[in-house]
Amino acid sequence: MSAVPLSVTTLAAMKTRGERIVCLTCYDASFAHLLDAAGVDVLLVGDSLGMVLQGHRTTIPVTIEHMVYHTACVNRGRSQALVIADLPFLACATPERAVDNAARLMQEGGAQVVKLEGGAALLDTVRRLTEQGVPVCAHLGLQPQSVHRLGGYRFQGRDHAAAETIRHDALAMQDAGASMLVLECVPAALATEISLTLSIPVIGIGAGAGCDGQVLVLHDLLGLNAGRPPSFSRDFLRGHDSIAAAIAAYVAAVREGSFPAANETPY
Ligand code: KIV
């Protein structure tokens, strides 16, 4: 019989024990198998696939069909890791739409958790999903689906008012029932404070080493960047002779808290 996959309660227990959670994006069965075997706790089927697999400049062209397809591929390749799937651009424009799209990610794709980008405007949606038994991962800070409103991929929460909004939204998401939170590109001090305040696990990307766990885009970790790599990522393939060794190094670095280092923490 195959191993029982991790769940949101397993991750909550890891946070309580002070064990760092290792998360990576994943888009296909082969990598799901490799990452799972290396001990990655969470496979995030991110809509970043629109950029790293499909070659778009943003995640906006990604559809729910794409997400269901890649989530099902990842689900077939994993045995233990928890699978989180992104609700893509406007897939949760209304609570009803979010419920229908979450159903597809879970029933057809096999996701255990759905992730949605956005703050206060999505609180009703998070409540509706969790009431229906759907575990939700909130996503605050840099929200790539809002790139055109933000005017680029910029760090968020750098002034007092913006930091206060993120702090407030993080608590509100937890109160609305979210089981996890991703904080993307926010100052490390803010991310650490939120991680210490919330009882749910907080996973950081470009948010310093003080979060309960870390996530990276798989392609960044493997040095597969068409342009300049993000300032907060590390090419783990450098100095290692296989993808498996690079993934193992990432797992070890997150668990021991040596990734991200100070020079990989821009703010
Ligand atoms: O889509 C994605 O890969 C993500 C991560 C960057 C957190 O949301």
Side-chain angles (χ1 to χ4, degrees), residues 16 32 56 62 73 78 80 95 104 107 110 125 129 162 165 172 174 188 200-201 249 259:
T16 305
H56 295 295
V62 177
C73 293
R78 64 86 190 245
Q80 269 231 277
R104 293 201 59 192
Q107 294 185 304
T125 299
L129 287 167
T165 302
Q174 172 174 279
I200 59 173
F259 177 80

Side-chain angles (χ1 to χ4, degrees), residues 64 68 87 90-92 96-106:
I64 191 70
V68 169
L87 282 160
L90 293 186
C92 44
E96 293 71 27
R97 214 167 148 180
V99 169
D100 289 347
N101 286 320
R104 293 201 59 192
L105 291 174
M106 295 179 80

Side-chain angles (χ1 to χ4, degrees), residues 60-226:
I60 289 170
V62 177
T63 65
I64 191 70
E65 271 70 32
H66 299 152
M67 293 309 304
V68 169
Y69 173 85
H70 286 281
T71 305
C73 293
V74 168
N75 189 40
R76 285 191 285 270
R78 64 86 190 245
S79 59
Q80 269 231 277
L82 176 89
V83 175
I84 302 182
D86 264 344
L87 282 160
F89 184 62
L90 293 186
C92 44
T94 64
E96 293 71 27
R97 214 167 148 180
V99 169
D100 289 347
N101 286 320
R104 293 201 59 192
L105 291 174
M106 295 179 80
Q107 294 185 304
E108 299 171 46
Q112 292 156 275
V113 179
V114 300
K115 178 163 82 58
L116 41 77
E117 291 181 16
L122 287 178
L123 289 173
D124 275 349
T125 299
V126 173
R127 268 184 224 108
R128 185 80 70 89
L129 287 167
T130 52
E131 278 163 13
Q132 304 289 330
V134 176
V136 172
C137 178
H139 182 151
L140 298 172
L142 174 59
Q143 295 158 29
Q145 290 170 13
S146 302
V147 62
H148 295 314
R149 180 176 56 79
L150 298 172
Y153 296 104
R154 301 204 170 93
F155 270 73
Q156 303 296 309
R158 292 183 60 202
D159 63 48
H160 179 77
E164 196 45 43
T165 302
I166 294 173
R167 242 183 234 114
H168 176 270
D169 287 354
L171 259 176
M173 281 290 171
Q174 172 174 279
D175 291 346
S179 300
M180 299 173 66
L181 170 67
V182 165
L183 278 181
E184 179 165 356
C185 292
V186 301
L190 176 65
T192 302
E193 182 199 324
I194 292 173
S195 304
L196 291 171
T197 307
L198 296 194
S199 57
I200 59 173
V202 177
I203 311 296
I205 174 164
C211 298
D212 303 307
Q214 298 292 329
V215 61
L216 271 186
V217 170
L218 176 64
H219 291 59
D220 291 339
L221 175 150
L222 297 175
L224 289 171
N225 304 98

Side-chain angles (χ1 to χ4, degrees), residues 49-62 66:
L49 67 85
M51 299 171 80
V52 297
L53 299 190
Q54 298 174 337
H56 295 295
R57 284 178 184 278
T58 72
T59 58
I60 289 170
V62 177
H66 299 152

